[in-house]
Amino acid sequence: MSHKQSLAIQLKLKRASFSIDLELDLPLDGITAVFGPSGSGKTSLLRCLAGLEHAQGYIRIGDQTWLDSGRHVSTPTWKREIGYVFQEASLFEHLNVRDNLYFGLKRVQQSHGSAGLNEAVSLLGIEHLLGRSIQSLSGGERQRVAIARALATQPKLLLLDEPLASLDVARRREVLPWLERLHDALKMPMVYVTHAMDEVARLADYVVLLEQGRVSACGPLTEVTCSRELALAIGEDAGVISTAIVVGRDEVHHLAQLLFGDAKLWVRDQGLVIGQTVRIRMLARDVSLTKTVQEDTTIQNHLPGVIESIDTFLHPAQAAVRVRCGREILIAHVTLRSLQRLELRPGSPIWCQVKSIALMI
């Protein structure tokens, strides 16, 4: 990818019990999710991008250089055009919502900043909160205000450090749709740190998997979710995330039909529009394998394919089987005993039975 269209990163950062050594070339559009377990270096990477950690290497965003340690270049944080959203909404308790938002505009021209602020307030649906005190806000409302403040300056890069981690399940469900709205409405690139796979599934376009400060896997969401590295990192929640097109509807049974590669799938109808492209997630534990198509079963979705690979997974008794179904990949978790009993190996033709498909809407 052209350097003018990417966020190019090469960093080395050493601490007493931890180090980062990575190189990335990230797209300057959509959301890049940085995923991994606690202690893998996710927040440290974000802090390096913001200039809050002093690492060796380089950071180039488009045609701007923020860091080049070889040339002794290091742009201070306040000169980097970034918005930063922390795990806890860092708002001023003595100011109301409106004043908290305007506080973030002090380093931009007022005319330019006001337009950005108005757009952020509208996108995040917080117009009715402007006169409220910070103490009166719920956790989800606080985070929406914090995100709006970060967006108000119209930064070149928005950094989000596990913005939902401090929220309970109800508040997370409240904020996620607004983050999806930002994803759809903004051209601004975002780097989103999380250890929650459901957030990756709903928001990410590009995924970086970090383990012990190193890049274990990196690429578009639909490719990385098929990788063995991410499957091992996720464990029982491993599965593929892809897109499909709504092509039909069974109004009697409240089902919608999706075109997934060359196959058709049935899912619960949630008011989908014919021709609409949707994101779907199929967990490996919800995929079973059979040598012949089964008609006398309650499972409605059957996809023919060919086994690409078989890997031991999590436990010596269990295997992760990658199956190519036309242009798409599915993953199934099955026992090695079952594979041996059915004499299945790479290259074997197979049918995938998909018990459940989640719509990421």
Side-chain angles (χ1 to χ4, degrees):
M1 127 183 14
S2 166
H3 74 278
K4 290 187 177 181
Q5 301 172 330
S6 70
L7 173 60
I9 305 166
Q10 193 273 311
L11 296 172
K12 290 188 178 182
L13 177 67
K14 291 188 177 181
R15 294 288 182 262
S17 58
F18 177 78
S19 67
I20 283 180
D21 189 347
L22 56 81
E23 187 168 355
L24 292 165
D25 195 28
L26 305 178
L28 279 181
D29 57 7
I31 296 179
T32 294
V34 181
F35 180 79
S38 297
S40 59
K42 303 186 300 295
T43 294
S44 294
L45 169 58
L46 225 60
R47 288 176 59 83
C48 287
L49 292 175
L52 300 173
E53 294 277 1
H54 301 291
Q56 298 297 305
Y58 59 78
I59 300 172
R60 303 186 187 108
I61 179 167
D63 55 5
Q64 290 186 6
T65 297
W66 286 352
L67 173 70
D68 188 336
S69 58
R71 296 193 294 126
H72 305 288
V73 173
S74 181
T75 303
T77 299
W78 65 274
K79 284 190 175 182
R80 300 187 187 194
E81 296 178 73
I82 62 167
Y84 203 126
V85 180
F86 297 88
Q87 291 185 27
E88 297 282 349
S90 303
L91 302 173
F92 298 109
E93 299 284 337
H94 65 288
L95 301 178
N96 65 16
V97 170
R98 181 181 287 103
D99 291 339
N100 264 277
L101 294 173
Y102 275 101
F103 184 88
L105 296 182
K106 289 187 175 180
R107 63 187 176 94
V108 298
Q109 294 180 1
Q110 191 65 30
S111 59
H112 169 77
S114 294
L117 177 57
N118 292 338
E119 181 182 16
V121 167
S122 176
L123 281 173
L124 286 152
I126 59 173
E127 298 95 332
H128 64 293
L129 302 178
L130 293 177
R132 295 260 299 272
S133 68
I134 298 303
Q135 294 93 331
S136 70
L137 303 181
S138 69
E141 289 170 338
R142 282 173 175 250
Q143 279 298 58
R144 284 158 62 192
V145 171
I147 295 168
R149 187 174 66 179
L151 288 173
T153 59
Q154 298 183 315
K156 287 199 169 189
L157 181 66
L158 181 63
L159 307 175
L160 301 104
D161 188 5
E162 301 198 57
L164 307 184
S166 64
L167 305 180
D168 59 28
V169 173
R171 300 290 81 75
R172 289 177 72 243
R173 288 175 178 166
E174 171 194 328
V175 178
L176 259 173
W178 296 102
L179 290 173
E180 289 177 311
R181 187 175 180 185
L182 293 183
H183 172 275
D184 295 336
L186 296 180
K187 302 299 182 184
M188 182 187 305
M190 308 181 205
V191 178
Y192 188 102
V193 162
T194 183
H195 63 269
M197 192 58 205
D198 62 326
E199 294 172 30
V200 175
R202 290 184 64 169
L203 298 173
D205 302 294
Y206 201 84
V207 179
V208 176
L209 174 61
L210 286 187
E211 293 186 282
Q212 297 182 335
R214 274 67 176 169
V215 176
S216 178
C218 179
L221 173 73
T222 54
E223 293 180 12
V224 175
T225 55
C226 296
S227 70
R228 184 173 186 271
E229 292 81 6
L230 189 61
L232 289 171
I234 299 170
E236 290 298 329
D237 289 331
V240 300
I241 300 166
S242 190
T243 57
I245 300 171
V246 182
V247 293
R249 179 175 287 110
D250 180 344
E251 295 183 358
V252 173
H253 299 102
H254 308 286
L255 297 173
Q257 191 174 51
L258 308 180
L259 182 63
F260 172 67
D262 300 320
K264 290 183 178 179
L265 305 172
W266 289 105
V267 299
R268 285 184 299 172
D269 188 4
Q270 299 182 32
L272 303 176
V273 177
I274 302 296
Q276 178 181 352
T277 298
V278 294
R279 181 177 292 194
I280 58 175
R281 184 182 184 190
M282 290 176 279
L283 296 178
R285 64 170 179 259
D286 290 331
V287 179
S288 61
L289 304 179
T290 176
K291 295 180 76 171
T292 57
V293 64
Q294 304 292 307
E295 299 292 346
D296 54 345
T297 173
T298 58
I299 299 175
Q300 300 182 84
N301 295 311
H302 311 265
L303 290 81
V306 176
I307 294 177
E308 277 202 345
S309 64
I310 299 172
D311 293 296
T312 302
F313 184 75
L314 294 181
H315 187 276
Q318 191 175 24
V321 181
R322 282 170 49 96
V323 180
R324 176 162 293 281
C325 302
R327 293 171 289 165
E328 304 290 343
I329 293 288
L330 289 183
I331 300 176
H333 287 173
V334 298
T335 64
L336 288 170
R337 183 174 182 271
S338 294
L339 292 176
Q340 291 172 1
R341 180 172 57 84
L342 296 175
E343 298 181 333
L344 297 178
R345 57 186 61 87
S348 296
I350 200 72
W351 284 86
C352 295
Q353 298 186 130
V354 185
K355 291 176 277 187
S356 178
I357 300 170
L359 287 171
M360 299 288 101
I361 59 173

